[in-house]
Amino acid sequence: MTERNPPSEPIERILETIDRNKPNTWDRYSMLFRFVLSGDGIVRVTSRRNDTGTYTVELSGGTVSGCTCRSTDIGVGTIGCRHMRAVDAHPHL
């Protein structure tokens, strides 16, 4: 993945911590994010609430495999970032 958003490590850690501690379902993720399938195995994820950028989530074999967000770079956990979890929860991707 080549596209990167500007680093904001403290904010990313806070957002990831909040997301991991909430029982997020597809309904909640659909309120938080917009999803655009932009190619075979590529989903663009954009926040509905604020301008935190657009992230690119990759799918491989029907499962999420990576994201361009800072959280992925800094290793916030083994269950992927919130963008990956949102795409994984999407009922049609």
Side-chain angles (χ1 to χ4, degrees):
M1 295 187 184
T2 58
E3 180 184 321
R4 291 282 175 210
N5 290 303
S8 56
E9 186 172 329
I11 298 294
E12 287 294 325
R13 286 189 184 272
I14 290 168
L15 292 172
E16 283 301 322
T17 300
I18 291 168
D19 189 74
R20 278 193 310 274
N21 289 309
K22 287 186 173 181
N24 287 324
T25 62
W26 165 243
D27 292 333
R28 176 151 169 75
Y29 281 128
S30 68
M31 290 188 304
L32 295 174
F33 298 111
R34 287 184 195 94
F35 302 85
V36 175
L37 189 60
S38 65
D40 190 28
I42 297 185
V43 180
R44 302 259 183 222
V45 179
T46 308
S47 174
R48 291 185 184 272
R49 295 192 173 167
N50 52 38
D51 186 24
T52 58
T54 298
Y55 302 95
T56 302
V57 175
E58 289 184 357
L59 298 168
S60 178
T63 60
V64 294
S65 61
C67 182
T68 57
C69 76
R70 182 76 176 140
S71 297
T72 304
D73 287 344
I74 60 177
V76 294
T78 58
I79 58 174
C81 68
R82 64 191 177 283
H83 312 107
M84 292 168 69
R85 291 190 298 274
V87 169
D88 195 39
H90 196 293
H92 303 294
L93 295 175

